[in-house]
Amino acid sequence: MLKKFKALFPKPPFKSAGYPKRIYPGHAAWFVREVTNDDIKALLAVERNVYHGKLPWTKSAFLSELISPLPHLYLCVEAEAILAFGGCRIIGNDAHITNIAVDPDFQGSGIGTFLLQELEHFAKKNGCLTMSLEVRLSNRDAQRLYRKLGYVSRAIKTAYYDQTNEDALDMVKYID
């Protein structure tokens, strides 16, 4: 019976990474910590800013990821409010980046790179050999960032995004 309800309780924080912790990209003092169910409204606000009013993920999609029994890590960066978030789910020996977003006012500040590096650390701790993600074909800035961090293109997924039918570029990083 307890197994049925295990998914309803938040998993313990990823303690070995020392969350929450203070980070200093540029001159600002920001904190990184694990996302909780109470943060979903703020994550949706970041998405609205990034996607010009649209919401690629719903509240239930975030909730589903946060209570998943699969190993996962979702982090947010905040000052007075959440400015960015990112997360991955481990399936087999792959850490799949499910979602990452940085408020447009803070893009280019190193937060996206920082989040991806933290997720890679989590992937390595869990024995992953690869990290994978999908990115919109139109999102050239994100593709440049991923390539800079060692991701390579694998394939194009036609009409991958439901709302727009936009194609996605499937990318992978092979972890040493």
Side-chain angles (χ1 to χ4, degrees):
M1 184 74 164
L2 183 60
K3 275 188 175 180
K4 279 185 179 179
F5 298 104
K6 192 175 180 182
L8 296 177
F9 299 101
K11 74 181 189 76
F14 179 51
K15 298 272 188 214
S16 62
Y19 300 114
K21 64 183 173 184
R22 183 173 275 214
I23 59 172
Y24 297 96
H27 299 298
W30 296 327
F31 290 89
V32 61
R33 64 173 174 79
E34 284 198 66
V35 169
T36 68
N37 294 353
D38 294 335
D39 296 321
I40 294 174
K41 190 174 181 178
L43 303 182
L44 293 170
V46 171
E47 275 199 333
R48 272 190 201 89
N49 289 339
V50 170
Y51 296 103
H52 311 290
K54 294 187 169 103
L55 291 174
W57 274 36
T58 62
K59 179 179 179 178
S60 60
F62 279 111
L63 188 58
S64 174
E65 283 296 314
L66 293 176
I67 65 171
S68 171
L70 295 172
H72 61 276
L73 178 65
Y74 283 82
L75 298 173
C76 64
V77 175
E78 64 182 348
E80 292 159 19
I82 292 176
L83 349 149
F85 65 89
C88 71
R89 173 187 343 112
I90 295 176
I91 300 174
N93 60 7
D94 179 64
H96 184 74
I97 306 294
T98 56
N99 200 336
I100 186 162
V102 178
D103 187 281
D105 292 340
F106 299 94
Q107 290 178 3
S109 66
I111 294 174
T113 298
F114 172 81
L115 286 170
L116 287 165
Q117 289 169 339
E118 290 291 297
L119 296 174
E120 184 173 337
H121 175 74
F122 176 73
K124 286 178 180 178
K125 268 192 100 54
N126 282 277
C128 292
L129 302 176
T130 58
M131 292 184 72
S132 62
L133 57 85
E134 291 86 22
V135 59
R136 294 175 190 277
L137 276 181
S138 63
N139 194 345
R140 302 281 188 216
D141 291 337
Q143 290 174 39
R144 273 191 291 281
L145 172 63
Y146 301 142
R147 284 192 179 92
K148 181 179 110 182
L149 295 175
Y151 288 80
V152 295
S153 301
R154 266 197 303 205
I156 292 178
K157 295 183 175 183
T158 307
Y160 181 78
Y161 294 99
D162 290 338
Q163 289 179 340
T164 61
N165 276 341
E166 186 174 354
D167 296 344
L169 182 60
D170 180 37
M171 299 184 84
V172 66
K173 178 177 184 174
Y174 298 94
I175 301 174
D176 315 44

